[in-house]
Amino acid sequence: MTAPHAAGQVVRFGIFEVDLATGELRRKGLRVRLQEQPFQVLRMLLERPGELVRREDLRQRLWPEVLSADFEQGLNKAVHKVRLALGDSADNPRFVETLARRGYRFIAAVEGNPLPPPDAFSVNWEGRAIPLSEGCNTIGREHDSTICIHLASVSRRHARIHISGETAVLEDLGSKNGTLLKGQRIRSLSPLADGDEIGVGSARLVFHAGSSRSATLTAQDT
């Protein structure tokens, strides 16, 4: 099933462009393969071009449940994949600069629409708010999932939440135990509203929209 598309959500730098709605990196118009976790790292750097993005910031947003050693390995691997995709070098960077033991900085000029606030949409799980990004946010047991849940009742790729501008929808990915929205199993793309409960296996998550977006969603429903 095709994800909703947000027109105009494209950021450009050099010969590259990032489509926030589809989660794609393109070089001269041709798609460059980049897995979800490295893409989310790149996105965080593009949210704050020219500024330091601390390793701890990356951990809290993308690896909240991972042990320290696994996080270090996962982050180093993700940054390496970003550099490979961009043809960049750690020793002589054109795009991603390393600040030793501190974090990373995107150093190229960026063009295009400003990225939406990272906390505009989020999911609360076990008392922790996990921010959602424009485009696809996966839920599952895989380590590179946006929301990684290590429970036997959760499929490796269980569900995903599509964020497109002011719209958020939930989609099941053919999971073994199904995905629930407000207690009902979903069969197709299902719109999300602030406060909706999402059931993924035995896990229960609550979807939240930021104050401005919550008002927009409410107005659309009336």
Side-chain angles (χ1 to χ4, degrees):
M1 189 170 294
T2 303
H5 182 74
Q9 293 296 325
V10 175
V11 177
R12 298 178 179 85
F13 51 91
I15 59 174
F16 295 94
E17 62 181 24
V18 172
D19 190 317
L20 305 175
T22 62
E24 293 178 322
L25 169 67
R26 292 189 287 265
R27 180 181 185 275
K28 294 183 177 180
L30 299 178
R31 183 176 178 181
V32 178
R33 180 174 174 79
L34 189 62
Q35 295 174 322
E36 181 169 350
Q37 207 76 346
F39 182 87
Q40 294 301 331
V41 169
L42 175 60
R43 180 190 171 86
M44 284 191 66
L45 294 174
L46 290 172
E47 286 172 358
R48 294 157 55 186
E51 299 180 22
L52 168 67
V53 177
R54 299 182 308 135
R55 295 176 72 87
E56 183 59 25
D57 295 336
L58 290 157
R59 177 176 184 170
Q60 289 180 8
R61 182 160 161 191
L62 302 179
W63 284 272
E65 290 295 307
V66 176
L67 297 175
S68 179
D70 292 335
F71 158 70
E72 294 293 337
Q73 182 179 14
L75 176 58
N76 292 339
K77 184 182 295 185
V79 172
H80 177 67
K81 289 182 178 179
V82 169
R83 286 190 169 123
L84 282 179
L86 300 179
D88 205 11
S89 166
D91 296 328
N92 187 27
R94 293 178 298 134
F95 300 111
V96 180
E97 178 185 36
T98 299
L99 285 79
R101 296 182 297 278
R102 298 172 63 197
Y104 303 92
R105 178 165 53 202
F106 196 85
I107 58 176
V110 174
E111 301 176 356
N113 291 343
L115 299 185
D119 59 349
F121 291 113
S122 64
V123 165
N124 189 281
W125 180 50
E126 293 188 336
R128 187 184 70 256
I130 303 171
L132 303 175
S133 302
E134 186 81 10
C136 296
N137 300 266
T138 57
I139 306 171
R141 293 201 327 269
E142 288 188 342
H143 287 294
D144 64 349
S145 299
T146 308
I147 305 169
C148 184
I149 302 176
H150 292 292
L151 295 175
S153 58
V154 176
S155 299
R156 292 177 62 83
R157 285 176 52 81
H158 197 108
R160 61 186 168 197
I161 297 173
H162 301 285
I163 304 296
S164 179
E166 302 293 342
T167 303
V169 294
L170 178 66
E171 179 185 7
D172 182 72
L173 297 178
S175 62
K176 179 180 179 181
N177 294 319
T179 300
L180 305 181
L181 176 58
K182 295 184 287 188
Q184 300 296 317
R185 186 164 183 167
I186 64 172
R187 305 292 180 182
S188 59
L189 286 172
S190 301
L192 287 166
D194 185 51
D196 280 351
E197 183 182 87
I198 301 170
V200 180
S202 60
R204 293 295 178 267
L205 307 89
V206 179
F207 173 80
H208 290 293
S211 56
S212 61
R213 296 197 171 197
S214 178
T216 302
L217 291 171
T218 301
Q220 291 174 344
D221 291 338
T222 58

